[in-house]
Amino acid sequence: MNHHTSLMKNYGPPAFNAVRGEGVYLYDDSGRGYLDFSSGIAVTSVGHSHPKWVQAVQAQAATLTHCSNLFGIPGQQKLADRLVARAGAGRVLFCNSGAEANEAMIKLARLHGKNLAGEEGKRYTVVAAKNAFHGRTFGGMGATPQEKIQGGFHPMLDGFKFGELNKIETFDQLIDDSVAAVFIESIQGEGGVFPADSGFLQELRALCSERSVLLMLDEVQCGIGRSGHFFAFEAAGIQPDAIGMAKGLGAGFPIGAIWVAEPYAELYQPGSHGTTFGGSPLASAAANAVLDIIEEEQLIEQVAALSPAWHQSLEALAQKYPRLIAGMRGAGYMVGLVLKPEGLNLRVTTAAREHGLLVVPAGHNVVRLLPALIATEAQLNESVAILDQVFAELTT
Ligand SMILES: *Cc1c(COP(=O)(O)O)cnc(C)c1O
């Protein structure tokens, strides 16, 4: 398809028009269904139009949609309680997207730095990772040192340095008394599905504590059950100082959030930050429904139980097509197939779609598989069977 004549061309031209979703299937305008392992880029965590989610959103829309944060919002308070119960003692601030969540964390780092060094002190640097993706706002872009993201928009926001994920010595070197926070994805998504190792996260936690630097984790893509834990960092047994969330939290209704640990949550005082839409009654109802469904259907347990066999099947594909596939990386329902011939990830994305499976390219020659957390064993197996066919055809 071509770009629609009235739409900006900042996205690539679409493959098809999507008009309906049901569970893990997405339908185009000719009625064809696709096994959707793109999930709107890790967003539709409980599948498309889950009946309980639909019911909750419809009921809230008919009751109260929006009132702004001038007034208390019971659904937002309940959602915050539930996130605090998951993350630990602290407070939550709501917004509307991943980039906005990260923006609020970068602002938190500035408040923390001023708290330590005073208004005139120059403690505001955030140390992020070289292969990171944190969003398209000036804060998020500043923390995303990719020319394909930053190109055309220089000068960038001041105050970012970059270490290398899983190389603790590179962070150790950068964290001096100009640094207010370390900011990384627990599992890098757009960069090509690179998980932060548990040992690395533990050492980083110790380093940050020792130097009074905040450890801020971007869980926008890997959070809310996708990794087989509620938060992906739980696998490392660490406690961050701040967490950014968005994509899977509303499962299709835009909502973002940050959780901030107890002492640092006090850095945000009345008037210091705000958003018109963040945590609206409607957005909060959608996210509360997502958490209800995750709990009632034990989806995190399901992801943890079903993903090892799926990962093994994908590893077996790599064994079967050693000239095409280098291997797989990831956790739970966030997996990257690493391909060998340059640019193959785009060809595989197209071929998989033609065979009825939607996947997302990422990073350097990686194909990302991001099924909804409701995906069954049979659906995971179907994804492997389709990919097997795709690679078989690419071999001949
Ligand atoms: C998608 C993503 C973002 C940006 O989220 P938006 O909702 O698109 O602004 C930030 N960080 C990570 C890790 C992401 O995957």
Side-chain angles (χ1 to χ4, degrees):
M1 280 174 64
N2 293 320
H3 284 105
H4 186 77
T5 49
S6 302
L7 284 170
M8 213 75 86
K9 296 179 183 172
N10 57 311
Y11 304 108
F16 61 80
N17 279 338
V19 294
R20 190 167 72 81
E22 193 181 331
V24 296
Y25 291 92
L26 183 70
Y27 294 86
D28 69 16
D29 55 5
S30 74
R32 180 170 184 198
Y34 299 84
L35 184 62
D36 185 6
F37 278 27
S38 64
S39 301
I41 316 183
V43 166
T44 50
S45 49
V46 295
H48 295 288
S49 299
H50 190 293
K52 283 205 170 132
W53 184 95
V54 171
Q55 202 273 331
V57 170
Q58 284 178 338
Q60 189 62 49
T63 307
L64 178 65
T65 303
H66 176 84
C67 60
S68 89
N69 289 294
L70 288 171
F71 309 104
I73 300 170
Q76 184 192 100
Q77 294 156 2
K78 177 180 171 189
L79 181 60
D81 289 344
R82 298 173 86 173
L83 294 175
V84 165
R86 295 275 187 180
R91 292 176 181 273
V92 175
L93 178 155
F94 290 104
C95 55
N96 311 289
S97 67
E100 277 177 277
N102 290 340
E103 208 67 25
M105 284 206 289
I106 293 163
K107 287 176 75 173
L108 179 81
R110 295 257 171 132
L111 293 176
H112 177 62
K114 283 198 169 41
N115 201 32
L116 290 180
E119 271 304 318
E120 296 309 312
K122 298 235 180 307
R123 188 160 187 171
Y124 59 83
T125 299
V126 171
V127 180
K130 280 184 181 153
N131 193 45
F133 178 83
H134 294 296
R136 306 285 196 145
T137 54
F138 271 95
M141 249 193 324
T144 302
Q146 303 346 311
E147 197 45 32
K148 69 174 186 205
I149 304 289
Q150 297 184 343
F153 302 111
H154 293 278
M156 286 294 117
L157 184 69
D158 183 28
F160 293 97
K161 286 185 194 166
F162 302 96
E164 232 172 286
L165 190 75
N166 293 329
K167 297 220 165 94
I168 192 68
E169 64 281 5
T170 65
F171 283 81
D172 188 2
Q173 270 166 21
L174 291 170
I175 304 174
D176 56 23
D177 60 11
S178 72
V179 171
V182 166
F183 182 34
I184 63 167
E185 294 156 272
S186 309
I187 303 174
Q188 290 182 339
E190 304 305 307
V193 192
F194 287 94
D197 300 335
S198 289
F200 170 77
L201 284 175
Q202 289 158 6
E203 288 182 286
L204 198 56
R205 171 68 280 180
L207 210 54
C208 289
S209 298
E210 186 187 299
R211 299 182 194 172
S212 306
V213 161
L214 298 183
L215 177 58
M216 313 194 302
L217 295 180
D218 181 348
E219 292 253 348
V220 166
Q221 185 161 157
C222 61
I224 324 294
R226 179 153 294 284
S227 71
H229 297 273
F230 189 79
F231 294 116
F233 66 76
E234 290 171 20
I238 59 149
Q239 183 71 354
D241 300 310
I243 308 165
M245 300 159 243
K247 291 191 166 95
L249 181 58
F253 200 98
I255 184 168
I258 62 168
W259 167 91
V260 179
E262 194 65 88
Y264 309 113
E266 301 304 321
L267 290 167
Y268 274 122
Q269 287 296 315
S272 54
H273 191 59
T275 147
T276 302
F277 296 115
S280 74
L282 192 53
S284 298
N288 274 312
V290 169
L291 297 187
D292 287 343
I293 294 163
I294 285 177
E295 287 161 19
E296 285 163 18
E297 300 185 12
Q298 304 195 318
L299 295 181
I300 298 176
E301 293 80 352
Q302 176 172 318
V303 170
L306 297 183
S307 52
W310 183 47
H311 296 176
Q312 270 173 25
S313 311
L314 292 168
E315 294 278 14
L317 268 191
Q319 305 280 315
K320 187 169 171 187
Y321 302 101
R323 288 192 299 115
L324 301 178
I325 311 174
M328 62 140 288
R329 288 192 292 259
Y333 282 11
M334 180 171 177
V335 161
L337 262 191
V338 187
L339 305 180
K340 281 184 178 170
E342 203 54 42
L344 189 64
N345 64 338
L346 301 181
R347 282 174 65 201
V348 167
T349 300
T350 303
R353 183 176 68 241
E354 284 162 0
H355 284 85
L357 171 69
L358 302 178
V359 298
V360 197
H364 183 74
N365 214 3
V366 171
V367 163
R368 224 174 339 166
L369 306 172
L370 303 163
L373 311 188
I374 59 165
T376 61
E377 189 176 5
Q379 290 158 345
L380 297 176
N381 290 340
E382 195 186 339
S383 74
V384 179
I386 292 174
L387 288 169
D388 195 351
Q389 234 181 321
V390 165
F391 287 111
E393 287 172 16
L394 284 167
T395 312
T396 55

